[in-house]
Amino acid sequence: AAWKGGLRFQVSAALKEGRVTPTELCQRCLSLIKSTKFLNAYITVAEETALKQAEESEERYRRGQPLGVLDGIPVAVKDNFNTAGIETTCASNMLKGYVSPYNATVVQKLLDQGAVLLGKTNLDEFAMGSGSTDGVFGPVRNPWSYSRQYKEKSVPKSHSEDKDANWVITGGSSGGSAAAVSSFTCFAALGSDTGGSTRNPAAYCGVVGLKPTYGLISRHGLIPLVNSMDVPGILTRCVDDAAVVLGSLAGHDPKDSTTIQDNFKPFELPNLTDVSKLSIGIPKEYHAPGLSSEILALWSKAADLFKNAGAKVIEVSLPHTCYSIVCYHVLCTAEVASNMARFDGLEYGHRSDMNKSTESMYAATRREGFNDVVRGRILSGNYFLLKQNYENYFIKAQKVRRLIANDFVKVFRSGVDILLTPTTLSDAVPYTEFIKEDNRTRSAQDDILTQAANMAGLPAINVPTALSERGLPVGLQFIGHSFQEKQLLTVAKWFEKQVKFPTIQLEEVKRHDHDVFQHQKSASFS
Amino acid sequence: QKVTVDVLDHLERLALVDFRDSEGVERLQKAIRFADQLREVNTDGVEPMDSVLEDRCLYLREDDVTEGNCTKELLKNAREKVEEYFVAPPGNIPLPKLEERESFLQSS
């Protein structure tokens, strides 16, 4: 079958027309998951239930009654979303063996649409990190490490050197989800985004990563990190697919009172041809220290692309950008200190054998269950929340948060429609290099370009743009007005069409199933 | 300004996690130094922001019981239970004092 890239309704159309069946699709994905196991993208593969869901979907297609575009589409979910009957670990010893009694709202919505849940993806423990390297199940490997594009550009130091030693990270914390989508083992995946955790790995893995406006998608069932910033994230191979998934997930949820009550209407993205009415803002502070010259050049090229197409491209200023990381550091640790308090070993999760007293049992359980990063954040958070520190740290950070959010309000009010910025400071680094610095330092460095959008609750999306000199993906970020996802995605889709980001060339995928995956520039489903 | 052992001990009790070693304590020191950068920002007259949705009236559902009766389901995930109860070790016993605890801080 000829799957021309970028056209809508590819796999979905094929399913409808019977050119491929949901069970075939599911089986191919499951077998590809097995042959790409070295990526360590999945913590749990729900083979039995996935096949059952695929069979049910097939029955619906046979009767000519599919539930929608997502019916029969294999998806993966980050392991910090509750999934009924399937282990949910958050990549932590604290929740190893924990089988959720319920589905997170977003998971339920996907299942209600007939999506086939393949499994739970790997992450940094409790979503704390920017590499997907700090979970108890080990680090996730970026599929591009094994791509022809990367291998061609990397010079082996010696013949005896382990070809594997140079693998690069996925970024994080939703690295497993990004790797899963990037390696074709699923068509869409859920991540979460608190400081950039969906956009960062999306950029490194060359996939679309959407962070929706805070309040648009329900967090019910998403194990919380920072209640005032967390959002479920969407990872797909093209912008159209992200719009489809968004359409099935967005909307008020009575179980999450932080979801707005405005009526949400799913939308199809128009094919924008005229960008002359657009005003693109280039925030100068995003020329952050450490930004690679390659990405700077790409960012500039992108701005020119819009300018040459007739859009108004202007430099703007978001003066408090440089404080967003510090602000995040305080607010995040404070909320973490509160959110992690629920893990005491009594009702669920790991429980220590210590039983001298309730307090000592709690202390031992948490000592055994949490890794250094989590414990460090809990302790820092508690410090900032101490009576003597509350005003100077927590309240102060909340004030700075308002300043950061106001920066965006001012710029958007001045007529700017969309902001264009880099997503990451560089392309993905090798794992051996990444672990030289500690988690907090890394997070502070890597989150600088993505974090402010979470502070302000704004929608933002990473669009894969080009390959770096090392043959690895580089993405650019668009940030939009609150709840204006349609405009944001429309512009992102236009940009995606202009840059024609190349498909990853993976041995495993090529060997695998020629008919489904061959000839496609972007293996989209919508 | 180093954090005193008293405060470290207090934090361990509040958080019910331990610093484990000097690295843990140093991590906190670094975190504090990092956070101190906030002082550079002028926030005179700025109100703290709790939520980006502060201008909206959020939905509160009626205080009616709409689900439940899933005791068995919920108990499945607990390690120690008796009939329909979660079993906890005896309460009201404070954590041993710092001098008596096997805490790293005892030696510092």
Side-chain angles (χ1 to χ4, degrees), chain A residues 132-147:
Chain A
S132 300
T133 51
D134 277 327
V136 292
F137 298 102
V140 185
R141 299 186 181 204
N142 192 326
W144 284 84
S145 312
Y146 303 94
S147 67

Side-chain angles (χ1 to χ4, degrees), chain A residues 144-188:
Chain A
W144 284 84
S145 312
Y146 303 94
S147 67
R148 182 149 73 82
Q149 289 106 327
Y150 178 61
K151 287 193 200 159
E152 273 174 355
K153 295 295 180 83
S154 53
V155 182
K157 294 194 183 78
S158 75
H159 280 293
S160 58
E161 181 187 271
D162 177 14
K163 283 202 194 99
D164 238 12
N166 248 353
W167 61 267
V168 298
I169 58 167
T170 50
S173 59
S174 311
S177 284
V181 172
S182 170
S183 59
F184 298 99
T185 59
C186 64
F187 286 79

